[in-house]
Amino acid sequence: MDYSQKISERQWNLPEKGELESRREETYIDDIIQKDHIQRKLLEHMDGIRTVFDGGAGSGRFPALPAKQGCRVTHFDISQPMIDKAKELAEAAGVSDRITFVKGAHEELNNYPNKSFDLVMSFDAPISYTYPNQNRVIENLMRMAKKRKAFSVSSRLGTLPYLCNPVQKTQFILDEKCADPFVQWSVANCEKMIRDFHFDKQNAERVMTDELERILRGFGVRNIQLSGPGAYGARFRGRFCSG
Ligand SMILES: C[S@@+](CC[C@H](N)C(=O)[O-])C[C@H]1O[C@@H](n2cnc3c(N)ncnc32)[C@H](O)[C@@H]1O
């Protein structure tokens, strides 16, 4: 088993993960904006889409939208707590009959045939949590898509805000008294983080190269457009796809 897979299993299978991730929009204002932005982009490009694969779908922040549009969605994730929470939320949203839940690792997508889904999406998962296998994972996700692709990354390019601002996430906290352990840690350590902060310009410039764009160009995706921080859209063979 790849070590990226082992790390993901250990980190994402913690029992409280599903609940915490499902509360992102209650906890951070930037997550509200990110979700709204991605949903709007998805809605703009749903024509002709009947089947959807969401890789690293987490607690189900995005699969419900295509399911509500009548699509059949495969919710794929390495974490059972995430899948359990997503099932609960899909039931509540009345879309569980249109979503198939699959527990699996991005590193093991080889059995899915080429072009098996109209839309393949993967937000904040393919690069962030499969390093150093991100090229192979993205190549697999791309070949599984028949019409469109929508990917985003967080921690690799998303490291940049942290390199420039030690309390990047802290400033987006909605309720400083909420029980989320990371919120409590951030509030308790805010002053220390600012005091000890050192801006490393050389390191910041190194990570500014957008890895997702480079990987997609390497696989022949053209006309790539930035559609949000860390997210790209592209016209490919005359149709919109995003990478
Ligand atoms: C930051 S969350 C993003 C969840 C969802 N896409 C969203 O944007 O709300 C990352 C997700 O990727 C999943 N994940 C991490 N590593 C994975 C891997 N190697 N294979 C499949 N899923 C993975 C985690 O379990 C987690 O649900």
Side-chain angles (χ1 to χ4, degrees), residues 8 12 56 58 61-62 77-79 82 104-107 123-124 129:
S8 286
W12 291 100
R61 290 169 74 224
F62 298 106
D77 203 283
I78 203 167
S79 155
M82 288 290 187
H106 274 146
E107 291 83 346
F123 300 122
D124 194 356
Y129 302 109

Side-chain angles (χ1 to χ4, degrees), residues 212-223:
L212 180 56
E213 181 182 0
R214 190 167 34 80
I215 293 173
L216 293 170
R217 286 201 189 284
F219 289 133
V221 178
R222 297 287 170 260
N223 303 321

Side-chain angles (χ1 to χ4, degrees), residues 4-9 11-13 21 24-25 34 38 54-63 75-80 82 104-108 122-126 128-130 137 152 154:
S4 63
Q5 207 172 318
K6 284 187 191 154
I7 292 168
S8 286
E9 278 191 343
Q11 178 184 345
W12 291 100
N13 277 288
E21 281 290 306
R24 277 169 66 164
E25 285 78 41
Q34 184 224 31
I38 290 180
D54 189 351
S59 57
R61 290 169 74 224
F62 298 106
H75 177 126
F76 183 92
D77 203 283
I78 203 167
S79 155
Q80 194 59 48
M82 288 290 187
H106 274 146
E107 291 83 346
E108 294 173 350
S122 185
F123 300 122
D124 194 356
S128 323
Y129 302 109
T130 60
V137 170
S152 78
S154 69

Side-chain angles (χ1 to χ4, degrees), residues 122-150:
S122 185
F123 300 122
D124 194 356
I127 290 187
S128 323
Y129 302 109
T130 60
Y131 180 84
N133 300 303
Q134 68 275 24
N135 284 31
R136 176 160 57 90
V137 170
I138 290 176
E139 187 175 21
N140 259 328
L141 289 167
M142 293 210 337
R143 78 166 176 79
M144 288 159 57
K146 196 165 160 189
K147 295 181 177 169
R148 277 157 235 175
K149 300 129 188 157

Side-chain angles (χ1 to χ4, degrees), residues 153-161 207-211 229-232:
V153 292
S154 69
S155 50
R156 305 266 286 153
L157 175 68
T159 316
L160 187 60
V207 297
M208 275 189 69
T209 314
D210 198 295
E211 190 174 17
Y232 281 95

